[in-house]
Amino acid sequence: MNDITVLAAGKLTDPILMDWAIDRHRDPRMRDPQRQRAMEEAWFDDLTLRRWLDSDDHETLARLFSLLPPERFSNLGQAIGERWAGWAGNLACHSAPVLARHAPGLAWRCFAEPERKRHPDPYVVLGILRALPLLPPEAGRALLGAIAAEAREARHAGVSRDLIQNGLISVGLKVDRPTAKDVIRDRLRDLTGDRAFDETLNRISLGLFGTSPYQRLASDIRTGVTRQRFQPLAALFREDAPLERLDEWSQGEVTLTDISGLVDAFLDAADRDVIAATVEALHGQGLAQRWARLADFLIGAVAAACERPELDTSAMGLSEAVGLLSADLSPVPHFEPLVARLDAFAPEEVSRLLLETLEREQATYGGVTLARSMGRLGWEIFVPALTSAMSDDSGDLLCEAARDALILIGRPARDHLIRGWDSLDGAQRIYGLSVLVGVGGEPVASFALDRYDELLSDDPESWCRLAGAAPDRRLFDRLEQELPRHQQRLDATFYQLAHLLDLDHPQLDAVGERVRTRRAEQHTRQAAFARGDWFADTLNLALRCPDCGDVNAYAIRRVAINPADSCGELLLAEEVACASCGRWSDLGFTAEAKLVLAAELLKLAADTDAGLAGQSKVLISPRVPFQGRARPVGEVVSHCRAAVAGDPAAVGDWVRLAYCYQQVLRRPRFAGQFSSRALSLDANAVEAVILKADTLTVEGKDAEAFELLDQSLASKDRWRFFLTDVAPPAPIAEQFANFYNHLLSQLGRPGRARLHPSFLGQSKKVGRNDPCPCGSGKKYKKCCLGRS
């Protein structure tokens, strides 16, 4: 089987190949560190990285800075500094700490100048904040103070200000405590909700203790979410830790005086000062209403202060080690030495206890930690249990931990999943595909080939990930037949396989150009969004063809919705043929497409005061006359579909469906089936005649369209009108005449007489008791009058 590390070496100057490489490097995360280092050395050498620094592909650069360890850029500090001032957004944010690590003096000059104009972008500020601990202490404190002053002056507002203040707290507590305390006071004074309050407390814990799972534990005990208590975790804490009182106070009443005594006894002076400033800022700001949350924070702070900095596991028994690993705590402190301790015991004894405990603790954080432990041990015996842990009944955290563990175990996990694929549930398949991608190898290529039709139809994204993880000529050959679909993901995978396997193809250049063009369009949309232009000209939607079953991505310009009914009918408002079979089908909205549309609706509602309402360039809300009033087109379509399902001979509903799709939704080719059905039931349904003739002209069949109109003209005395609530007979007759005369000229038939718009005779008002012009035989007042 081809080694992907070797296949890609020297080929990563192409952005399409670099996208593949970044995805591959990310897949084996949590796996063999030696393999990752080999990838980094072969793919991301100084020359390759410098070429990307010189490119204008800021999106790829940002991904490289966020993905690779800072050491990969150790020789490029000067080059990064020379370019940093021209970067913004995620690129500036992710590169700032790398610059500070490798060129702190240059970083200081970049971050500090020009005075008062250095922070127009909140992501630039966040990047600088992340870099401050890497600068000389005096420089870090000066920059922290400047950023805090700007935040206080409200140079940033809303979400940006929240992000910056939170960053100032967690970083400031490491760099300059007095400035951080001022920010904490400002933040607590301005808080408007419990969520922001909780986030502020979390940031304080992060700044003081690095990480502290004990605040959440106290909260979970208080709310009855967990059976876990502090006392069984005694091995993690110093001997004088007041665990009994922490358990008592987490379950019952506690006063500020009670907890303050423990804070004074166990926290050092600098940490006590920050806690005191936090509590003081809350006096007069709703302390009583938020006391439970504050109590959990203070209990967590005492527990964190009492945690052992190192854990000696040398004399620890197997049950005790597994007991700590299965604690309902996230994360479990000292995870590495606890897992290392398991190696001291017989594998069969360890595996038995871990499997038994995982079965019992699947619904807790302990189950997540046990799954991680199994992955770290890497034993094949864990594969069935970890596969079961990825089921529909498990939470996302456990599924993700089990997936990562199976990737670490590697080939036995891959082979087990492939053998039992048909017995896996939905979640197991979703996470199992990630395992196959992470492990790779020839069996994955064969699996992708064997399951080609099934996977490519249901989940083309995952099939492409499989192909990219296991490049194989057979997969390249199968993808060739998909090129006419012009799908970005399929095109990119075809192009990547061709270059990785050194294969040539007559369409390769054209495919590459398509991928690069769409990639550039995507970057343009992202840049526009970052500038505040939230609404694009198109939405990229995954739609399923009801005829062939394929899911393809389409750049859609118009979708009809009913804003008052989020669960109402969604309708394409433009003509789109299936990219696979070419039929003019009613492409269905996948769950992914509905999420995209929901996000567009959320953007519309996000800030109506700023004028965003109604600015979507894609979502429209057309209304049509129906039963006496204007209704959303989706509502009318749903009504008519239900009507013809109950009575297939309901001519009027077939005509109305044709009208809605053809005139309102601009889909004449699809609408043709409805007008044809109406005419098969009643050849004198004149609106259906006009709609069908219009469809024929769209298809380039002008002669057939004229013949249809000419035949209908011969029976004009028997015409029936079904859409009198949309338009009365006279305008319909005028439309017929204009259409007839147009085709007469187009076809060059001078010998035929033209129609006058009044060819049906003098128009007169239809009386209430006159026969309805739709031909139903009912009186007008009992039929279409109420719809007019």
Side-chain angles (χ1 to χ4, degrees):
M1 183 65 190
N2 295 311
D3 183 344
I4 62 173
T5 303
V6 176
L7 289 178
K11 299 178 180 178
L12 301 185
T13 56
D14 185 313
I16 307 172
L17 271 295
M18 180 56 84
D19 286 341
W20 171 89
I22 291 175
D23 290 341
R24 294 292 76 72
H25 183 276
R26 186 176 56 198
D27 282 333
R29 193 177 296 256
M30 299 286 295
R31 284 195 64 204
D32 181 6
Q34 185 175 355
R35 182 185 178 191
Q36 282 197 310
R37 283 194 300 272
M39 282 184 178
E40 291 162 7
E41 291 171 1
W43 296 354
F44 307 115
D45 57 276
D46 288 353
L47 180 59
T48 298
L49 292 177
R50 184 175 286 276
R51 284 174 175 168
W52 282 99
L53 287 175
D54 291 335
S55 77
D56 58 358
D57 191 339
H58 288 187
E59 178 70 20
T60 297
L61 260 181
R63 294 184 73 193
L64 288 169
F65 276 113
S66 66
L67 174 80
L68 297 176
E71 293 73 23
R72 295 308 312 167
F73 299 91
S74 59
N75 298 323
L76 301 171
Q78 182 68 30
I80 296 170
E82 291 170 355
R83 295 158 177 77
W84 193 85
W87 293 345
N90 284 327
L91 176 55
C93 184
H94 292 307
S95 60
V98 178
L99 174 59
R101 178 183 297 274
H102 299 307
L106 181 56
W108 159 251
R109 293 194 296 275
C110 290
F111 299 161
E113 298 173 355
E115 184 66 20
R116 308 295 294 167
K117 295 182 181 179
R118 61 179 167 268
H119 310 315
D121 181 340
Y123 290 98
V124 174
V125 181
L126 292 174
I128 293 173
L129 286 172
R130 293 172 56 200
L132 293 187
L134 300 170
L135 297 178
E138 184 177 347
R141 285 192 294 270
L143 269 175
L144 183 76
I147 295 172
E150 290 167 1
R152 193 174 298 114
E153 294 168 8
R155 291 187 61 183
H156 299 279
V159 175
S160 295
R161 186 165 185 260
D162 292 343
L163 289 172
I164 291 170
Q165 284 188 323
N166 286 334
L168 282 165
I169 292 171
S170 53
V171 174
L173 288 171
K174 298 181 178 69
V175 173
D176 185 34
R177 290 285 176 94
T179 298
K181 287 191 297 181
D182 288 340
V183 176
I184 291 170
R185 294 187 187 99
D186 291 342
R187 182 78 174 135
L188 293 176
R189 184 179 60 248
D190 297 339
L191 285 180
T192 58
D194 289 339
R195 184 173 181 179
F197 179 66
D198 291 341
E199 179 61 23
T200 301
L201 295 183
N202 289 336
R203 290 289 175 161
I204 295 171
S205 293
L206 181 63
L208 292 178
F209 310 113
T211 180
S212 176
Y214 305 117
Q215 177 182 339
R216 176 180 288 179
L217 176 57
S219 175
D220 287 348
I221 293 173
R222 185 181 305 281
T223 56
V225 172
T226 183
R227 302 186 309 273
Q228 181 66 58
R229 297 296 182 265
F230 282 96
Q231 291 180 79
L233 304 174
L236 301 175
F237 301 99
R238 44 195 263 197
E239 292 181 359
D240 61 343
L243 303 182
E244 184 176 355
R245 274 184 287 176
L246 297 185
D247 278 330
E248 177 186 348
W249 290 344
S250 296
Q251 298 173 79
E253 296 296 325
V254 59
T255 68
L256 179 58
T257 301
D258 291 333
I259 300 184
S260 296
L262 292 187
V263 169
D264 292 341
F266 291 99
L267 273 72
D268 64 32
D271 291 349
R272 287 200 307 270
D273 193 35
V274 174
I275 299 292
T278 302
V279 174
E280 180 184 354
L282 285 170
H283 281 291
Q285 300 292 329
L287 185 148
Q289 291 86 343
R290 290 171 170 161
W291 169 242
R293 285 179 163 82
L294 181 61
D296 295 336
F297 164 73
L298 295 173
I299 290 171
V302 172
C306 294
E307 184 183 289
R308 295 181 186 274
E310 296 182 359
L311 182 63
D312 182 7
T313 63
S314 59
M316 190 174 287
L318 177 59
S319 295
E320 184 179 6
V322 173
L324 290 174
L325 286 169
S326 63
D328 193 5
L329 201 63
S330 178
V332 170
H334 309 297
F335 172 77
E336 296 295 344
L338 286 170
V339 173
R341 178 60 182 162
L342 300 182
D343 282 329
F345 303 96
E348 59 273 12
E349 187 179 1
V350 174
S351 59
R352 177 186 56 79
L353 185 56
L354 285 177
L355 290 169
E356 290 175 357
T357 311
L358 176 63
E359 179 72 22
R360 186 177 67 247
E361 300 294 339
Q362 281 201 17
T364 71
Y365 287 121
V368 175
T369 307
L370 289 169
R372 290 182 58 209
S373 304
M374 292 176 178
R376 195 59 57 89
L377 291 171
W379 299 345
E380 183 175 354
I381 193 173
F382 298 134
V383 169
L386 290 169
T387 301
S388 297
M390 297 190 301
S391 72
D392 290 331
D393 297 329
S394 300
D396 290 343
L397 290 177
L398 179 58
C399 287
E400 291 167 4
R403 172 202 63 198
D404 293 342
L406 289 170
I407 292 175
L408 279 168
I409 293 172
R411 294 177 180 178
R414 174 197 65 193
D415 298 342
H416 174 82
L417 289 169
I418 291 175
R419 284 195 305 271
W421 188 258
D422 290 328
S423 65
L424 302 181
D425 67 25
Q428 288 170 327
R429 290 192 176 194
I430 291 171
Y431 289 101
L433 282 170
S434 293
V435 175
L436 300 186
V437 170
V439 177
E442 193 280 333
V444 171
S446 294
F447 175 81
L449 194 67
D450 294 341
R451 302 278 177 165
Y452 178 81
D453 293 329
E454 168 194 341
L455 286 177
L456 203 65
S457 172
D458 294 339
D459 190 358
E461 176 73 23
S462 291
W463 190 91
C464 289
R465 291 177 60 217
L466 290 172
D472 189 289
R473 174 62 187 260
R474 296 171 296 169
L475 304 180
F476 174 84
D477 292 339
R478 291 303 299 268
L479 264 183
E480 182 181 20
Q481 67 191 31
E482 307 297 336
L483 294 182
R485 295 169 65 176
H486 286 206
Q487 293 297 295
Q488 173 76 353
R489 193 67 178 89
L490 301 177
D491 283 350
T493 303
F494 179 85
Y495 184 90
Q496 290 159 354
L497 292 180
H499 284 273
L500 291 169
L501 299 171
D502 295 318
L503 302 173
D504 196 12
H505 190 276
Q507 297 185 50
L508 191 57
D509 290 341
V511 170
E513 186 59 30
R514 284 204 302 264
V515 175
R516 280 185 283 271
T517 298
R518 291 174 183 169
R519 192 173 180 275
E521 291 171 352
Q522 181 182 3
H523 291 174
T524 299
R525 286 196 296 269
Q526 291 171 342
F529 186 86
R531 293 194 305 269
D533 184 1
W534 287 15
F535 300 104
D537 294 331
T538 62
L539 289 178
N540 195 39
L541 301 180
L543 306 176
R544 184 183 299 278
C545 176
D547 295 322
C548 70
D550 279 356
V551 173
N552 290 297
Y554 302 85
I556 299 299
R557 295 187 299 273
R558 294 288 184 273
V559 176
I561 63 162
N562 178 6
D565 183 8
S566 60
C567 298
E569 187 90 15
L570 294 168
L571 297 168
L572 288 179
E574 63 175 295
E575 198 88 279
V576 181
C578 174
S580 295
C581 67
R583 296 187 180 95
W584 300 100
S585 302
D586 197 16
L587 301 176
F589 294 85
T590 62
E592 178 186 346
K594 291 177 181 178
L595 284 175
V596 174
L597 293 171
E600 188 80 352
L601 284 169
L602 284 174
K603 287 191 289 184
L604 285 174
D607 189 5
T608 54
D609 292 338
L612 294 177
Q615 287 189 17
S616 175
K617 301 172 184 177
V618 175
L619 301 184
I620 60 174
S621 305
R623 302 173 73 85
V624 296
F626 183 59
Q627 295 182 344
R629 63 187 179 91
R631 299 173 184 266
V633 66
E635 181 182 324
V636 177
V637 167
S638 294
H639 172 89
C640 293
R641 284 188 179 277
V644 298
D647 179 12
V651 181
D653 291 297
W654 288 114
V655 176
R656 197 174 296 275
L657 279 171
Y659 168 77
C660 287
Y661 276 99
Q662 189 154 335
Q663 298 298 317
V664 181
L665 300 174
R666 307 299 181 189
R667 297 171 60 184
R669 291 182 177 88
F670 179 71
Q673 62 180 305
F674 302 122
S675 54
S676 294
R677 185 63 180 271
L679 292 173
S680 71
L681 295 169
D682 188 342
N684 294 311
V686 64
E687 293 107 333
V689 170
I690 296 172
L691 290 168
K692 180 61 178 179
D694 184 51
T695 294
L696 291 171
T697 61
V698 169
E699 295 173 342
K701 302 174 181 178
D702 288 4
E704 291 183 34
F706 181 78
E707 184 67 22
L708 180 63
L709 293 179
D710 204 32
Q711 291 174 0
S712 180
L713 180 63
S715 59
K716 68 180 187 303
D717 293 338
R718 296 190 297 276
W719 279 3
R720 296 180 67 192
F721 297 85
F722 290 91
L723 302 179
T724 55
D725 51 353
V726 176
I732 294 296
E734 182 177 351
Q735 182 184 359
F736 183 99
N738 292 336
F739 196 3
Y740 183 92
N741 293 337
H742 169 73
L743 287 175
L744 201 62
S745 299
Q746 286 289 107
L747 295 170
R749 299 184 181 180
R752 302 293 297 272
R754 296 173 62 84
L755 292 179
H756 190 275
S758 60
F759 73 96
L760 276 184
Q762 184 65 34
S763 175
K764 66 172 184 168
K765 182 177 176 66
V766 182
R768 289 171 53 84
N769 293 309
D770 290 341
C772 186
C774 78
S776 67
K778 300 178 182 178
K779 291 183 179 181
Y780 185 47
K781 66 181 180 181
K782 294 290 188 180
C783 191
C784 290
L785 176 61
R787 303 178 184 178
S788 301

